[in-house]
Amino acid sequence: MLCCVLLQQQETLLSVKIEKVGLKDALKLVDSYWVVSVKDSVGLDVTPIQQTPSCGLCSELYITFNTTVHIQKSLESLPHNWVIFFELKHPREKKGDTVKCWAMLEREELPRGESERVKDVVLELYKKPTNFKRKKLQLLTSKELYLHVQLIKQ
């Protein structure tokens, strides 16, 4: 994971704390981790791709991460239609690491105004493969299981 970036005056940095993810087979996903990328409207990277450490606690329905990712550009310097993608990966025998599911955070979900600096957000989980162009999305499950993140504007 990368640390905070240097900002010019009047620029805003976004940090995303990945708290937990709800999955019906959470106990099976040992050593899972997130790959976080910021893409433009055609799916091209606009910041370096980051990877979190492996998960901490697993329970029957949740994997807890409690790890923070710092977006490597100010919000003002990102293209207008940017999206942050979260891909949950885990190792599989003889196949290497594979995507279990993914989620996305759009600009509209950010905290609004100067007074709101921190916001808890719940993101829907989608079936693999990751669709960086955001076309024909398929939810992972009909159950109410989500990715829980906290957005921090600095």
Side-chain angles (χ1 to χ4, degrees), residues 50-98:
Q50 299 183 62
Q51 179 177 313
T52 69
S54 295
C55 62
L57 301 172
C58 292
S59 67
E60 191 173 323
L61 287 178
Y62 288 97
I63 303 172
T64 302
F65 289 87
N66 283 328
T67 189
T68 301
V69 174
H70 305 284
I71 303 307
Q72 296 298 299
K73 284 189 176 180
S74 70
L75 293 175
E76 294 80 8
S77 67
L78 292 173
H80 180 67
N81 291 328
W82 61 265
V83 175
I84 301 174
F85 287 90
F86 303 88
E87 296 175 279
L88 181 61
K89 291 191 171 187
H90 64 100
R92 288 187 59 182
E93 248 182 74
K94 300 178 185 176
K95 292 187 178 185
D97 292 0
T98 185

Side-chain angles (χ1 to χ4, degrees), residues 4 10 20 85 95 127 139 142 148:
C4 295
Q10 304 298 319
K20 64 182 179 179
F85 287 90
K95 292 187 178 185
K127 288 182 181 179
L139 291 174
S142 60
H148 300 257

Side-chain angles (χ1 to χ4, degrees), residues 34-51:
W34 290 97
V35 173
V36 180
S37 57
V38 182
K39 309 277 187 184
D40 64 13
S41 59
V42 294
L44 298 175
D45 290 315
V46 295
T47 65
I49 296 171
Q50 299 183 62
Q51 179 177 313

Side-chain angles (χ1 to χ4, degrees), residues 9-25:
Q9 194 172 18
Q10 304 298 319
E11 287 188 320
T12 309
L13 181 67
L14 178 66
S15 296
V16 181
K17 181 179 180 187
I18 301 171
E19 295 176 338
K20 64 182 179 179
V21 63
L23 297 166
K24 59 186 177 186
D25 58 350

